[in-house]
Amino acid sequence: MRNRAGVWSERSGVTDAHFRWNGAGADRQDRLGWVVGMAVAAVVLGVCVASPGADDPTIGLTVRESWTTSRLTGPPTPPPPYRLVEAFPALRFENPVLLERIPGSERLLLGELGGRLYSFPEHSQVADAERVVDLKEGLEKFQRLYGLAFHPRFPDVPEVFLCYITDLSKEDGTRVSRFRASGRDPLRLDLRSERVLLTWPSGGHNGGCLQFGPDGFLYISTGDASGPFPADVRRTGQRIDDLPASILRIDVDRRDPGREYAIPADNPFRDRDNARPEVWCYGLRNPWRMSFDPVEGRLWIGDVGWEMWEMIYVGRPGANFGWSIIEGRQPVFPDEPRGPTPITPPTLLHPHTEARSIT
C-alpha cells in the first residue's frame, strides 16, 4: 500500500513486517520514531512495576462479605396481574384441548386430544368427571380431537359439531361433522348420526377451532396443512381457491344443492370466480384458537407463528393476514403471488423472545 513517504511492503507471517522508506530523511525519521516509542514503553513499564500489588493490605478486599441487607427482592419486573390457581383440583385429564359449558345446564364439557369427552358440574369441589363418549371407540380412523361447538339454539336444536383428524397426512384428513345429542345431565352423543360437512388436508397445521358467531353462522379455522419446516409447503396461504390457511363461515341451518350447509349471502368471495365461497378471511398459518368478544361481537384470532412472531388478529370479511408473504413483520416469501386483498397487519404481536406458540 503506497503512503506519503514511500512504499509499505509486508512479508508473509504474523509478526514479520518491515517498512522500506524512499526519500530524503526517511531513515532518520524512522530511527527517531523507534527511539521515542521505546522511551514511552519504558516509562509505562516502570510505572507498572512500581505500582502497589495484591500484597499491599491497603488495596482490594481481603474477605468478600455477603450482601444481606438489601431491601430488594425478586426480579426487577412487576408481578403479573393474575395468579394461577387450579379450578378443579381433584380432577385430572390427559391432554385436555377444549372446555365448553353445556348450554342450559350448570355442567362443563371437557375434551381430550385423544377423543375422550367428560362432563362435570361447574364448581371447584367436584370430585369426579363423567365420561360422555370416547370418539376413538365410535369413529372410524379417529386420531385427534381439535374443536367442538354446540348449536347456538341447543338444546332446542340438539346438535353438536366436532372437528377432528382422521389421518395426519391426507388430502381429506381434517373433518368437521355434525352429530345428534340427547340430554344435558348426562349429555349423550350419537356417533352413528354423523354428517360430514367439510374436509381439508391435514399435515400438522390443521386449525380446527369451531365458534358460532353472533350472526348464528359457524366459523371454522383451518391451518396451512404444513409442518413447522419448511414454511407453507403447499403455498396455500395466499390462495382463496382452497380451504386451508383461512377462517371459513357457513350456515348450518340451511343446505345448498350438493352441500350439507349453505353459503351466507354476504360471504366476501361468494360470487368470485376461482374462489371457495366458504372463505371469510385468509392468510393464516395455524389459527389454533379464536373467540368472539361477547360485548362487541368481534372475532379475535390467535395465529401460531413460525420463526419470530406470534400474531393476534381481529377477523374481518375478506381480510388477508399475510401468511406466507410475511410472518408478523418478518418477510418469508415476499416474491410469491399475493391474494386478491391487501395484507392486514396484526392487531397484537408477541416476539419469540417473550413466548412461543400462542395456543
Side-chain angles (χ1 to χ4, degrees):
M1 180 178 70
R2 186 171 299 277
N3 56 39
R4 65 182 181 181
V7 177
W8 171 31
S9 66
E10 182 179 68
R11 294 201 299 263
S12 61
V14 176
T15 61
D16 186 13
H18 74 283
F19 290 90
R20 184 178 72 250
W21 291 85
N22 296 322
D27 291 338
R28 290 194 301 272
Q29 293 176 8
D30 192 15
R31 289 194 297 271
L32 179 59
W34 183 85
V35 171
V36 171
M38 292 299 293
V40 171
V43 171
V44 173
L45 182 59
V47 170
C48 293
V49 171
S51 297
D55 295 334
D56 190 329
T58 65
I59 301 299
L61 297 175
T62 57
V63 177
R64 183 175 296 276
E65 298 181 0
S66 299
W67 185 13
T68 60
T69 59
S70 173
R71 297 180 182 179
L72 297 176
T73 59
T77 55
Y82 301 102
R83 182 170 58 93
L84 295 178
V85 298
E86 285 194 76
F88 309 104
L91 301 182
R92 291 293 180 267
F93 301 101
E94 183 177 350
N95 295 326
V97 292
L98 56 88
L99 183 66
E100 300 286 344
R101 180 175 285 105
I102 301 175
S105 79
E106 299 298 323
R107 297 180 70 86
L108 298 174
L109 183 67
L110 180 141
E112 295 179 341
L113 184 67
R116 288 183 292 268
L117 297 178
Y118 293 92
S119 171
F120 52 90
E122 188 179 2
H123 61 75
S124 61
Q125 303 305 313
V126 58
D128 296 299
E130 177 185 2
R131 181 183 294 188
V132 174
V133 69
D134 188 338
L135 301 177
K136 186 170 288 188
E137 295 177 356
L139 296 176
E140 185 181 3
K141 299 181 180 179
F142 173 88
Q143 293 288 330
R144 296 175 180 175
L145 174 65
Y146 280 0
L148 179 148
F150 290 93
H151 192 283
R153 296 198 302 277
F154 188 94
D156 294 333
V157 179
E159 294 179 345
V160 176
F161 298 82
L162 299 180
C163 180
Y164 66 94
I165 308 302
T166 61
D167 192 286
L168 300 181
S169 58
K170 285 187 63 175
E171 290 300 308
D172 60 352
T174 310
R175 175 181 295 183
V176 174
S177 294
R178 181 198 320 247
F179 296 87
R180 298 284 296 179
S182 61
R184 284 172 288 177
D185 186 8
L187 176 72
R188 292 290 178 260
L189 289 184
D190 181 5
L191 299 184
R192 296 170 299 177
S193 68
E194 179 180 19
R195 303 288 292 183
V196 178
L197 303 185
L198 283 168
T199 64
W200 63 90
S202 55
H205 300 153
N206 304 298
C209 187
L210 306 179
Q211 293 286 340
F212 278 95
D215 51 14
F217 297 134
L218 179 60
Y219 291 73
I220 304 165
S221 72
T222 71
D224 65 8
S226 300
F229 293 94
D232 195 11
V233 294
R234 296 172 175 267
R235 296 297 190 270
T236 185
Q238 291 296 296
R239 293 171 56 183
I240 61 170
D241 61 346
D242 62 6
L243 298 182
S246 303
I247 304 298
L248 314 179
R249 179 176 182 250
I250 62 175
D251 182 350
V252 299
D253 291 325
R254 299 185 302 113
R255 289 175 173 80
D256 289 337
R259 296 190 177 104
E260 287 288 328
Y261 55 89
I263 303 299
D266 57 348
N267 268 19
F269 305 116
R270 174 189 173 104
D271 299 321
R272 188 184 183 97
D273 294 336
N274 300 317
R276 288 295 300 257
E278 298 92 343
V279 174
W280 189 69
C281 61
Y282 65 102
L284 295 160
R285 182 174 182 264
N286 190 21
W288 170 246
R289 286 294 177 254
M290 59 183 180
S291 61
F292 282 94
D293 175 357
V295 176
E296 299 183 358
R298 296 184 297 178
L299 180 62
W300 290 82
I301 305 164
D303 193 19
V304 178
W306 183 47
E307 286 190 328
M308 294 182 64
W309 300 99
E310 302 296 309
M311 289 75 65
I312 299 176
Y313 300 100
V314 174
R316 295 180 179 85
N320 174 8
F321 296 120
W323 181 253
S324 56
I325 301 296
I326 57 173
E327 174 214 16
R329 302 171 185 167
Q330 173 194 13
V332 181
F333 298 122
D335 298 327
E336 288 290 316
R338 304 193 176 202
T341 54
I343 292 177
T344 298
T347 305
L348 293 172
L349 275 174
H350 291 277
H352 280 184
T353 55
E354 175 185 289
R356 296 182 67 93
S357 189
I358 187 161
T359 55

